[in-house]
Amino acid sequence: MKTGKAAGSDCIETEHLLNAHPTLVSQLSVLFNAILKYGYVPHVFCWGIVIPLIKDKQGNAADISNYRGITLSFTIYKVFEMCFLEIYDDVLYSADLQFGFKKNLSCNKAIYAVKPLCDYYVSRNYTVNVCFLDISKAFDKVNHCSLFCKLMNRNTPVEFINVLVNRYSRCFYCLRVNMTLSHTLRTTCGLRQGGVLSPVLFEIYINDIIVQLQTHKLGCYIGDLYLGCVLYSDDLLLMSSSLTVLQKMIDVCVREASEELV
């Protein structure tokens, strides 16, 4: 966990954990194992403070669409989610064509995957047709029930799913502007912005878009290697040598997105 980050409503920062007494490790172990055993998340872990951040400082500050929210969560629960990532790493996988939120991968790596493909087709006198899709407010529109079903299809351990169900069924937050807190609100969809586990869950949630495109064999190939799409967070790049096939790819993406996003 990075230092110098804002604390949640518990006012506990990463520095507190780094400089705490060694017995804290044993106490946290007891707490985390109890959460897994009983599938119950303490109420305070389900609560967060949303901080609105302006996207374009040169834009209209009065435009609500020019803001994105970051949720300040309990530092202790962030540690718990990091343990989740370590323990259940074998079920928290996604397609190789997803480049966002992955260690040692970046936007530059995604670009590097696209450029050789274009060079390959152009050198053989083929046209590469490209379509960029942006899933609007994707994090905020995730259907929880659909996410849980996708995890169950991966044979995810039941204790993992029980904890997620319990936590996301009791998500509350308040908005903080200039140190003033709003009244408490409840959310029934979406993933928590700024959460440790949220990016990984989002990758799992939209992974079926790549699976469907590859299953239907839509898009570009280099030999037997499928490179018809590249996904970075909620930005999707589709590539095909045929406009007709490209339209079919768009239709598949629209169908998958309409079924998954609320």
Side-chain angles (χ1 to χ4, degrees), residues 152-164:
M152 286 188 285
N153 291 335
R154 294 176 174 225
N155 295 320
T156 304
V158 65
E159 60 269 16
F160 179 93
I161 297 178
N162 285 340
V163 170
L164 288 182

Side-chain angles (χ1 to χ4, degrees), residues 69-140:
I70 293 295
T71 305
L72 303 181
S73 303
F74 275 51
T75 302
I76 300 288
Y77 189 76
K78 289 182 179 179
V79 177
F80 178 66
E81 287 191 329
M82 293 184 73
C83 294
F84 255 38
L85 293 177
E86 293 290 335
I87 297 173
Y88 301 106
D89 180 65
D90 57 329
V91 296
L92 300 177
Y93 59 87
S94 58
D96 292 335
L97 293 173
Q98 286 206 45
F99 289 84
F101 311 120
K102 290 184 177 180
K103 188 177 182 180
N104 298 324
L105 291 179
S106 63
C107 186
N108 289 335
K109 296 291 182 65
I111 294 173
Y112 181 77
V114 174
K115 187 177 183 302
L117 173 72
C118 295
D119 293 339
Y120 176 83
Y121 273 76
V122 171
S123 65
R124 287 161 175 76
N125 296 321
Y126 286 101
T127 300
V128 180
N129 301 287
V130 177
C131 177
F132 290 89
L133 298 178
D134 182 13
I135 308 176
S136 177
K137 305 293 183 182
F139 255 67
D140 301 328

